Amino acid sequence: MGDEIRRNMALFPIGIVMKLTDLTARQIRYYEQHELIVPARTAGNQRLFSFNDVERLLEIKSLIEKGVNIAGIKQVMNPVSKESEDATVVSELSEVKRRELSDAQLHRLLKQQLLEKRPGKASLIQGQLSRFYNKK
DNA sequence: ATTCTAACA
DNA sequence: TGTTAGTA
């Protein structure tokens, strides 16, 4: 398998990624600070994102909408490694498989946080959990 | 015209 | 997270 190189090619600037993901530049840069994504840089320090980066951002966006914060996302998503040796592994999983895995891990997180209802530590989930205890 | 970092009436 | 300032 070798089109992974194409999925990891740094191609578009933040402006395009904003439109592709409906995320603000602030959010995209914020997620990068927390190592959820590691876009390449041009000689002029401009960020260049790959298709994989965009996919990850969409995943992040999805989790954020489910109420998961950065700490939670870090646990659910595969951490970005070296020069994308991990992006290769990730690309070997089908889109559906990845979603199933994410949901399973999300449930684990939910169960975990429901058990450690201890005050003091910040919860990994914030708000709208309706999908899990309400929905069907 | 775009993007970047840093910072907060 | 928004937003703005001062650059590159």
Side-chain angles (χ1 to χ4, degrees), chain A residues 60 62-74 76 106 109 124-126 128-129:
Chain A
I60 294 169
S62 166
L63 291 170
I64 288 293
E65 295 175 327
K66 289 174 181 171
V68 182
N69 62 192
I70 303 300
I73 295 177
K74 284 183 179 178
V76 183
L106 219 190
L109 279 180
L124 294 176
I125 288 75
Q126 352 182 279
Q128 66 278 262
L129 292 172

Side-chain angles (χ1 to χ4, degrees), chain A residues 15-70:
Chain A
I16 291 178
V17 178
M18 288 174 69
K19 297 176 180 176
L20 262 37
T21 64
D22 282 297
L23 289 171
T24 64
R26 178 76 163 83
Q27 291 176 301
I28 296 172
R29 293 171 183 140
Y30 180 70
Y31 303 149
E32 176 187 28
Q33 289 190 233
H34 289 272
E35 304 177 276
L36 265 36
I37 52 170
V38 186
R41 295 286 183 139
T42 65
N45 198 42
Q46 303 275 101
R47 267 169 273 251
L48 281 188
F49 303 75
S50 66
F51 281 102
N52 272 316
D53 290 326
V54 175
E55 285 181 27
R56 286 184 69 85
L57 284 171
L58 289 174
E59 239 285 9
I60 294 169
K61 183 192 173 193
S62 166
L63 291 170
I64 288 293
E65 295 175 327
K66 289 174 181 171
V68 182
N69 62 192
I70 303 300

